[in-house]
Amino acid sequence: MKVCGSNCLSLFVIFSAVRSSVSLWDPDDHGSGGITDATPLPINAVCHMHPDAKSPLNVTGIITFNQTNEWAPLKINISLSGFKQFPPDTPDSELLHGLHIHHYGDVDNGCVTLSKGSHFNPLSMNHGDIADTVRHIGDLGNIKQETDGTLHVVLYDSQASLFGSISILGRGIVVHAARDDLGRGGNPGSIYNGNAGPRLACCAIVVTP
């Protein structure tokens, strides 16, 4: 993947135009739940997390999404359990897990299909943090578990959206075993996927009342 340079500004102009489109994500797309232009505001979505078949841990839980309109930030409420437990004095760096929205959302065969697609990146950006200007739309940064193996956090994102032709509805989410280096690792993998390690669990984002 090429490092984003002078073309970034043009890409963000395109992003703004695409996000402002009145047409919502194709209702025939897998997992979208039939979103149409007539769908009442706000839009809510949910993702029920299931452990990856190859993971030694049983990470489960729920992620909910709420967005009041196409220009409002996306609220992401994450509540998970089943992470490895640590002593109370464990450094924060060991409690972080990369969280990504993936291009594919088919979890009928567990997390295998999601691994066949990269992070959701319709604008062809480099990998980064949720707060970065240059990032995949699917980059949600790191989430921090508690030492007792639980995790409760609320994120707000200004790039990922439930609206528009690049909506995240129907996509998948993966929580990883390790900390995401947020594109700052200095190697090719860093600007592609953040070197966040094996998959712990995954889910598909579907619309809900």
Side-chain angles (χ1 to χ4, degrees), residues 6 20-21 26 36-38 41 101 109 124 138 162 168 193 196-197 199:
S6 60
S20 65
S21 170
D26 182 353
T36 69
D37 291 344
L41 304 180
I101 301 169
N109 294 316
S124 299
L162 302 178
I168 63 170
N193 58 27
R199 302 180 301 273

Side-chain angles (χ1 to χ4, degrees), residues 47-68:
C47 201
H48 294 280
M49 194 69 72
H50 300 283
D52 183 88
K54 295 182 179 180
S55 172
L57 301 175
N58 187 39
V59 174
T60 60
I62 187 170
I63 302 177
T64 60
F65 305 81
N66 174 266
Q67 194 171 12
T68 56

Side-chain angles (χ1 to χ4, degrees), residues 11-172:
L11 287 169
F12 278 100
V13 171
I14 294 171
F15 171 76
S16 298
V18 171
R19 183 163 175 177
S20 65
S21 170
V22 295
S23 62
L24 298 181
W25 189 255
D26 182 353
D28 294 325
D29 200 38
H30 177 81
S32 67
I35 292 296
T36 69
D37 291 344
T39 301
L41 304 180
I43 294 180
N44 301 300
V46 67
C47 201
H48 294 280
M49 194 69 72
H50 300 283
D52 183 88
K54 295 182 179 180
S55 172
L57 301 175
N58 187 39
V59 174
T60 60
I62 187 170
I63 302 177
T64 60
F65 305 81
N66 174 266
Q67 194 171 12
T68 56
N69 60 67
E70 62 183 312
W71 296 114
L74 175 65
K75 180 181 180 181
I76 308 171
N77 195 321
I78 305 167
S79 182
L80 305 175
S81 62
F83 292 97
K84 178 181 176 180
Q85 296 186 12
F86 289 91
D89 58 349
T90 299
D92 285 355
S93 60
E94 295 187 32
L95 303 176
L96 297 178
H97 301 274
L99 184 70
H100 309 127
I101 301 169
H102 279 242
H103 183 84
Y104 295 121
D106 184 356
V107 293
D108 288 347
N109 294 316
C111 304
V112 175
T113 304
L114 272 65
S115 68
K116 295 179 180 179
S118 57
H119 300 171
F120 185 44
N121 186 26
L123 302 181
S124 299
M125 294 289 190
N126 288 329
H127 180 70
D129 192 8
I130 188 173
D132 291 343
T133 301
V134 176
R135 50 165 276 206
H136 304 155
I137 289 180
D139 290 341
L140 300 181
N142 287 302
I143 51 177
K144 180 189 169 191
Q145 69 163 91
E146 301 298 327
T147 55
D148 65 0
T150 63
L151 186 153
H152 303 281
V153 65
V154 177
L155 305 176
Y156 290 89
D157 190 6
S158 60
Q159 289 200 36
S161 178
L162 302 178
F163 293 84
S165 59
I166 52 174
S167 166
I168 63 170
L169 288 170
R171 306 296 176 185

Side-chain angles (χ1 to χ4, degrees), residues 190-202:
S190 179
I191 60 173
Y192 181 70
N193 58 27
N195 299 311
R199 302 180 301 273
L200 291 182
C202 64

